[in-house]
Amino acid sequence: MADCANKGAMRFVASTDAATVAAGCDRIEWADRDMPVLASIRERFARERPLEGMRVCACLHVTSETANLVRTLKAGGADVVLCASNPLSTQDDVAAALNEHYGVRTYAIKGEDTATYYAHIDAAIDQRPHITMDDGADVVGRIHASRTEVLEGIIGGTEETTTGVVRLSAMAADGALRYPIVAVNDARTKHFFDNRYGTGQSTLDGVVRATNRLLAGRTLVVSGYGWCGRGVAARACGAGMRVIVCEVDPLKALEAHMDGFRVMPSVEAARECDVWITVTGDINVVDEAEFLAMKDGAIVCNSGHFNSEINIPWLEASAAERRTLKPLVEEFVLENGKRVILLAEGRLVNLSAAEGHPAEVMDMSFANQALCAEYLVQRAAGLAPGVYPVPDELDDEVARLKLASLGVRIDTLSGEQRRYLMSWQMGTV
Ligand code: ADE
């Protein structure tokens, strides 16, 4: 099912040769084996076609898991275009398979420069979507900044990640957001699992794949103790690392302390750091002061959405020497003679150096995405512009389906227990 990949002036995907397409198809099928919730929604969508006639512009990490989401949206009747939500996270074989085998126009090339990244987003927006599906809010940002001509056709959107929800909430607070967006990230079946277990495992996987360093016995500094930071710290602890947490929120800092981690200011942590992982969603969390205090040879990387958490411009401007040691591993020698090792250009190390969150957790995140697209078709007309939570019924349904797929059974409340929970008369007996 050949699409028109790489025709005309713009390159859409890195390759469309048969071997790459076949590798992408295998990888997509491999992920699908661990995505039973999404598969069950896909079967229902194929019968009921709830997205018939909808044009969906999805700006997501182009991975095998995303491919299975796109297949589900298509099964529901949607016309889907896909572009990358990060210049370094694309799996080129998956992009090739989507274009050539699944007939989904995909604009994504691993390692694309910033101009190409935005050209691909613009090409996807040219589809004139009814629904936008973002991971980091770059499509919504682009549409509101320079592509306002497509606004009138849009019924709503979804957002996959914490950073995107933060940006969209800021837009809504400023009165700038022009359509309703469902914050998929905030579903419990999303962030309890994907952000915590997914980021935790895949981030360490990225560090290990890039460096092949032993984790046991090394000191890890984690900046940020949200769901992602908690996951990274827990997995690192399990791998035998000594974990230090840096956090600005007093409650989260206290939680990290009671979870058994050392908590301290960044500059102090820098002196002990072997590996530093940022997951804050903020800017310049590792800055000049941290670099100057850092131990020689410290490895620094980021697993937050944007490459803004590490002050790379400072590093580039201040380093006396710079060289690439191996793919995605760059060494900067500072004027004080100390070496700083930067992984994956400061972009998401879990998606750049590894393969992102495992399919088992993306199953729930993307089940939420598919159900929220259906929800928007049914309900968006009644929603004012703003950021909306995933309805609890959808979240609970995803949890029920996941438990069933895992063969885990649970108790149900008896009538007496349900009545008790709704009553107030009975106290100490
Ligand atoms: N975000 C984190 N991991 C991902 C994956 N495997 N696919 C798509 N988006 C992701």
Side-chain angles (χ1 to χ4, degrees):
M1 196 195 303
D3 198 44
C4 44
N6 294 339
K7 298 227 172 76
M10 190 195 293
R11 275 178 83 219
F12 300 159
V13 295
S15 161
T16 54
D17 70 71
T20 310
V21 172
C25 289
D26 287 345
R27 200 198 264 233
I28 293 167
E29 193 220 296
W30 174 250
D32 194 44
R33 292 183 193 185
D34 244 348
M35 305 184 86
V37 177
L38 195 60
S40 70
I41 294 170
R42 185 155 66 239
E43 279 165 27
R44 178 172 70 76
F45 273 18
R47 286 193 307 276
E48 299 177 5
R49 306 279 290 177
L51 308 180
E52 195 71 67
M54 285 288 126
R55 289 190 296 273
V56 178
C57 170
C59 179
L60 301 168
H61 299 293
V62 178
T63 66
S64 50
E65 293 77 24
T66 300
N68 286 314
L69 168 62
V70 167
R71 290 176 60 206
T72 306
L73 301 173
K74 262 196 93 169
D79 169 13
V80 189
V81 294
L82 177 65
C83 59
S85 61
N86 184 290
L88 259 188
S89 62
T90 297
Q91 295 168 359
D92 286 325
D93 52 358
V94 168
L98 280 169
N99 250 309
E100 298 295 306
H101 182 79
Y102 290 103
V104 176
R105 176 72 67 82
T106 302
Y107 301 93
I109 299 174
K110 186 174 175 97
E112 62 197 18
D113 59 20
T114 307
T116 308
Y117 175 76
Y118 281 106
H120 282 167
I121 287 181
D122 272 333
I125 293 171
D126 285 344
Q127 176 223 30
R128 302 191 74 88
H130 298 109
I131 294 176
T132 60
M133 202 169 262
D134 253 311
D135 186 330
D138 275 348
V139 161
V140 172
R142 191 74 168 178
I143 288 174
H144 284 70
S146 59
R147 299 297 307 272
T148 50
E149 80 279 5
V150 303
L151 274 169
E152 63 175 356
I154 297 178
I155 63 166
T158 63
E159 172 52 54
E160 170 74 8
T161 200
T162 316
T163 294
V165 173
V166 169
R167 287 178 84 191
L168 293 168
S169 302
M171 282 178 80
D174 274 354
L177 188 61
R178 303 270 301 274
Y179 59 89
I181 302 206
V182 183
V184 167
N185 178 72
D186 296 354
R188 291 156 300 154
T189 47
K190 199 279 183 182
H191 65 268
F192 282 7
F193 303 96
D194 165 325
N195 301 27
R196 180 166 37 172
Y197 303 111
T199 308
Q201 178 170 315
S202 63
T203 300
L204 294 189
D205 186 17
V207 172
V208 171
R209 287 200 208 190
T211 64
N212 197 26
R213 284 281 165 89
L214 184 73
L215 301 179
R218 288 215 153 90
T219 299
L220 174 76
V221 179
V222 185
S223 292
Y225 205 66
W227 288 102
C228 296
R230 289 177 183 121
V232 170
R235 296 303 126 194
C237 187
M241 300 191 88
R242 298 148 200 266
V243 179
I244 298 174
V245 172
C246 302
E247 174 58 68
V248 292
D249 179 320
L251 260 152
K252 290 180 181 159
L254 192 55
E255 187 185 354
H257 173 78
M258 300 246 176
D259 283 346
F261 301 117
R262 292 166 68 208
V263 178
M264 64 181 77
S266 299
V267 175
E268 287 171 34
R271 296 187 199 116
E272 299 189 37
C273 161
D274 293 312
V275 181
W276 198 316
I277 297 171
T278 57
V279 263
T280 66
D282 213 332
I283 192 167
N284 294 342
V285 172
V286 179
D287 209 340
E288 176 175 356
E290 286 77 20
F291 284 126
L292 292 177
M294 231 171 240
K295 221 167 121 175
D296 179 38
I299 294 167
V300 183
C301 61
N302 167 54
S303 217
H305 185 78
F306 288 120
N307 59 337
S308 56
E309 305 207 13
I310 301 166
N311 191 344
I312 297 170
W314 182 88
L315 201 53
E316 289 174 332
S318 315
E321 284 172 51
R322 173 179 184 172
R323 69 184 173 129
T324 300
L325 295 170
K326 62 205 280 277
L328 303 175
V329 180
E330 218 179 342
E331 178 178 82
F332 294 82
V333 183
L334 303 183
E335 297 286 0
N336 64 13
K338 287 193 218 165
R339 294 163 299 177
V340 175
I341 313 295
L342 177 69
L343 304 186
E345 303 168 15
R347 299 194 191 277
L348 286 156
V349 74
N350 60 333
L351 280 140
S352 308
E355 293 173 67
H357 303 174
E360 190 159 349
V361 287
M362 295 314 295
D363 187 26
M364 288 186 278
S365 309
F366 286 164
N368 277 294
Q369 286 283 7
L371 294 178
C372 286
E374 180 181 35
Y375 172 77
L376 283 170
V377 173
Q378 292 164 350
R379 299 288 175 81
L383 301 177
V387 180
Y388 290 86
V390 173
D392 280 345
E393 311 84 77
L394 302 191
D395 209 355
D396 291 344
E397 175 67 2
V398 172
R400 262 193 297 274
L401 289 170
K402 190 70 181 174
L403 281 173
S405 76
L406 293 167
V408 176
R409 293 178 301 115
I410 58 173
D411 292 320
T412 49
L413 291 174
S414 67
E416 180 192 28
Q417 290 169 329
R418 200 169 303 112
R419 281 192 299 281
Y420 177 80
L421 290 176
M422 291 189 303
S423 68
W424 52 269
Q425 289 90 348
M426 199 191 293
T428 307
V429 286

